[in-house]
Amino acid sequence: MPTLILVRHGRSTANTSGVLAGWTPGVALDDRGAAQAAALPGRLAGLPLSEVVASPLQRCQETVRPLLDARPGLRSHTDERIGECHYGDWSGRKLAELADEPLMEVVQAHPTAAAFPGGESMRAMQTRAAEAVREWNARVERDHGADAVYLMCSHGDIIKSLVADALGLHLDLFQRISVEPCSITAIRYTRLRPFLVRLGDTGDFASLAPREEHGEEDAPVGGGAGAP
């Protein structure tokens, strides 16, 4: 079965302004995010990618554009099932403001019980994304062979939920996973089990350096902005 390269979109204007974007239209990459996207073709130069699948949201489409420009023959697709979690009434609100919502504690500690008002549940988010991956695995293997490599560009919570699925990790534990903007996560699928072979690789260790503020105890909903 194929190897899946999961790329989180580059840093967005919502990441830097501390807003939970969700499906809010018009959320673009900021200058750093655009630079991250521009560097992606070089980072992936050694991989014979067979297909690219991206979330329909602007920040993901902008992230894969330099890669597609660098490889004009590479087929690209859009799949809503790997789009951001539908945060409903939370979309467009400041994360600092949402921290006081009682639901935030549920999102952090018991995400299988979390359903966003006017949106979807985190269980539904994981289910649709995992179903998309299984269908794309079968399609890519059929069209390109069992050793094919393909790429999906998606969002922090989606990628974390797919990693949890691959590891057989309960969704209630997925907040322990961290994927920064434009990080690369790789999952090699086989007939018997998936193997997580890369997780949140940015090639940059700046985010591991001590910061002036104390480290966050909560996982940033939507994935966070990454290294400063």
Side-chain angles (χ1 to χ4, degrees):
M1 295 180 69
T3 295
L4 170 60
I5 307 299
L6 288 162
V7 176
R8 185 182 167 202
H9 62 78
R11 195 173 74 176
S12 73
T13 54
N15 293 145
T16 47
S17 60
V19 169
L20 185 62
W23 284 70
T24 304
V27 177
L29 299 182
D30 67 6
D31 289 345
R32 178 170 180 174
Q36 291 170 332
L40 197 57
R43 294 171 64 197
L44 298 172
L47 288 179
L49 297 174
S50 58
E51 308 271 357
V52 168
V53 186
S55 156
L57 294 172
Q58 180 177 340
R59 52 200 183 272
C60 287
Q61 296 290 324
E62 290 180 350
T63 298
V64 298
R65 177 48 51 196
L67 177 64
L68 296 174
D69 289 344
R71 302 193 192 192
L74 186 57
R75 290 193 296 178
S76 64
H77 314 267
T78 297
D79 193 326
E80 290 194 357
R81 295 173 297 175
I82 61 167
E84 181 64 283
C85 184
H86 290 276
Y87 295 117
D89 297 344
W90 278 28
S91 299
R93 294 177 61 188
K94 289 279 191 180
L95 288 166
E97 171 190 327
L98 291 170
D100 295 328
E101 293 278 356
L103 178 60
M104 182 61 83
E105 185 177 3
V106 182
V107 170
Q108 293 293 326
H110 190 19
T112 53
F116 296 98
E120 70 179 333
S121 69
M122 302 199 89
R123 286 181 292 107
M125 174 199 75
Q126 183 187 45
T127 297
R128 63 173 164 85
E131 286 178 350
V133 166
R134 282 160 175 73
E135 289 182 21
W136 277 104
N137 281 349
R139 178 173 171 174
V140 168
E141 182 172 4
R142 180 196 68 204
D143 293 346
H144 302 282
D147 294 327
V149 181
Y150 74 107
L151 181 146
M152 279 186 171
C153 183
S154 188
H155 307 265
D157 282 349
I158 295 286
I159 294 173
K160 288 162 56 178
S161 75
L162 290 172
V163 170
D165 176 74
L167 292 176
L169 188 70
H170 200 285
L171 186 62
D172 281 345
L173 302 179
F174 97 127
Q175 299 289 25
R176 301 182 183 197
I177 300 165
S178 175
V179 289
E180 291 197 1
C182 226
S183 63
I184 293 173
T185 294
I187 302 171
R188 180 172 296 123
Y189 289 88
T190 73
R191 187 173 62 85
L192 296 180
R193 65 184 64 85
F195 293 90
L196 178 66
V197 293
R198 293 288 189 281
L199 176 61
D201 188 348
T202 63
D204 178 2
F205 296 102
S207 64
L208 302 180
R211 303 185 188 181
E212 292 182 6
E213 68 273 18
H214 294 293
E216 296 178 353
E217 293 185 2
D218 286 344
V221 180

